[in-house]
Amino acid sequence: MTLAKITGSGIAALGMCVTVLWGCLIGERLMVQRGATEQARALHDLEVLRQQLRTPPVSAPILPRSHRRHSTEG
């Protein structure tokens, strides 16, 4: 005893919906992977820029010498 019968067009529509669903899932996965790759590349580029812009450490200041001569006579 058959309660419901699926027509050929119904099966085709169901198949198309399943195909679209799988396409969306695969597309989302690819976008997430690409986003993670771009994020890692951006963080690496920032680190490289920080290393390039890093200034060398400053040495201790040299105190100027007095130009006066101290006489030992006195």
Side-chain angles (χ1 to χ4, degrees):
M1 178 177 344
T2 304
L3 294 177
K5 188 174 183 181
I6 300 176
T7 62
S9 61
I11 291 175
L14 189 60
M16 287 179 59
C17 288
V18 169
T19 303
V20 169
L21 177 64
W22 276 106
C24 289
L25 291 174
I26 292 170
E28 179 190 13
R29 186 175 187 100
L30 291 174
M31 285 190 284
V32 168
Q33 287 176 349
R34 184 173 180 180
T37 302
E38 288 180 6
Q39 179 186 14
R41 184 178 297 134
L43 290 174
H44 178 264
D45 291 346
L46 281 174
E47 186 62 31
V48 168
L49 285 173
R50 283 186 188 140
Q51 289 175 358
Q52 288 176 354
L53 296 177
R54 187 173 291 151
T55 57
V58 178
S59 61
I62 300 174
L63 299 176
R65 291 186 174 181
S66 174
H67 294 292
R68 294 189 212 163
R69 293 188 177 241
H70 298 287
S71 69
T72 54
E73 300 173 18

